[in-house]
Amino acid sequence: MNLFNITGTLNTVLIIGSLYGLLSQLKTIWRRKRVRDNQLPVTSILSLNQFTVSFLAYLSFFVYGYSITPFNHYIVWPRMCASILVLIIIFEIFVDRKSLSARISLYSAICCFLLALLGLLFGDTIADEGKALSTSLILVVSLLIAQGYFHQIRLILSSGHTGAVDLKMSQFILMMDISTIAFAISMGLKTSWPLLILAITSGVTKVIIMYLFRWVATSSLAAERRVAWEINGKE
């Protein structure tokens, strides 16, 4: 077994782990729905911006995986499953908030997912166009994911509260990002440099969010902001 297959297998295993992380986030939302605190929304502190961008990140990997030659099963199928899970999270945010922005994000994500599936079905005829499109999408998403996670980080910092944000999701996705970096290097930078940029961007933001869980638990400033946030009833 060569380095490509070893890192590809490891990446797939850790992506499956990240799927568990996404499931953990969904379970957190569903648990808060069952035991609802009337003062706090079910999806409190969850950044719609961040999850929309995460969806686009998974989807761009999905499209990239079936656009390159040879077809990369290590990339395609786990990312398709992850896209579906994030889509469900966006749906839950929409159900909870009923806002225009949540509606637009949900409908846009559904349309993008359906278009990506069409690209998979007709991949043989649009391979070159698909690769160019997915590469451009990955670069754009790398910028958006930095912005999206900055929004999530800002919400935690301003409220002193992690709300419905799930720590396990960040932990498992970070492990996936690290393995994706190794996998991208084994593929050769000429082919995989867009994946490398996105994985590094995602990994750095996960480290920051994981640190903020400790900050919320130990910082007196976080405690002060949390009290003010709860009094004001902000989402």
Side-chain angles (χ1 to χ4, degrees), residues 27-211:
K27 288 179 180 178
T28 296
I29 294 172
W30 293 336
R31 183 175 64 251
R32 288 167 65 91
K33 287 175 74 173
R34 289 194 302 270
V35 187
R36 187 173 186 126
D37 184 336
N38 292 328
Q39 295 181 346
L40 299 177
V42 170
T43 59
S44 173
I45 304 300
L46 288 184
S47 170
L48 175 65
N49 185 326
Q50 180 245 299
F51 279 102
T52 302
V53 173
S54 293
F55 170 80
L56 291 175
Y58 282 120
L59 197 69
S60 63
F61 270 97
F62 170 57
V63 175
Y64 189 83
Y66 69 66
S67 299
I68 60 177
T69 302
F71 185 103
N72 196 312
H73 295 277
Y74 293 122
I75 294 177
V76 172
W77 306 119
R79 262 68 178 205
M80 184 180 74
C81 294
S83 298
I84 293 171
L85 289 174
V86 179
L87 186 57
I88 296 172
I89 293 174
I90 294 173
F91 171 77
E92 290 291 351
I93 293 175
F94 165 72
V95 169
D96 183 46
R97 301 179 186 176
K98 300 293 195 303
S99 64
L100 177 61
S101 58
R103 186 186 301 273
I104 292 173
S105 291
L106 176 62
Y107 291 172
S108 298
I110 291 172
C111 289
C112 288
F113 185 72
L114 293 176
L115 288 173
L117 288 180
L118 286 175
L120 176 62
L121 293 175
F122 297 100
D124 289 341
T125 60
I126 62 168
D128 292 337
E129 295 85 350
K131 183 178 179 181
L133 176 63
S134 60
T135 298
S136 300
L137 182 60
I138 286 174
L139 294 178
V140 171
V141 167
S142 296
L143 294 175
L144 290 177
I145 206 167
Q147 179 271 330
Y149 277 99
F150 172 76
H151 183 253
Q152 180 69 83
I153 289 165
R154 187 162 59 87
L155 284 175
I156 297 174
L157 285 172
S158 63
S159 66
H161 204 298
T162 55
V165 179
D166 188 85
L167 177 60
K168 287 182 181 178
M169 184 186 72
S170 292
Q171 291 171 333
F172 279 99
I173 293 178
L174 175 62
M175 289 191 292
M176 179 199 70
D177 289 333
I178 293 172
S179 70
T180 298
I181 292 170
F183 184 42
I185 293 173
S186 74
M187 290 172 62
L189 296 181
K190 183 177 180 180
T191 300
S192 66
W193 63 268
L195 308 184
L196 193 61
I197 291 174
L198 182 52
I200 291 173
T201 303
S202 176
V204 169
T205 57
K206 299 304 180 302
V207 170
I208 295 173
I209 288 178
M210 288 166 59
Y211 166 76

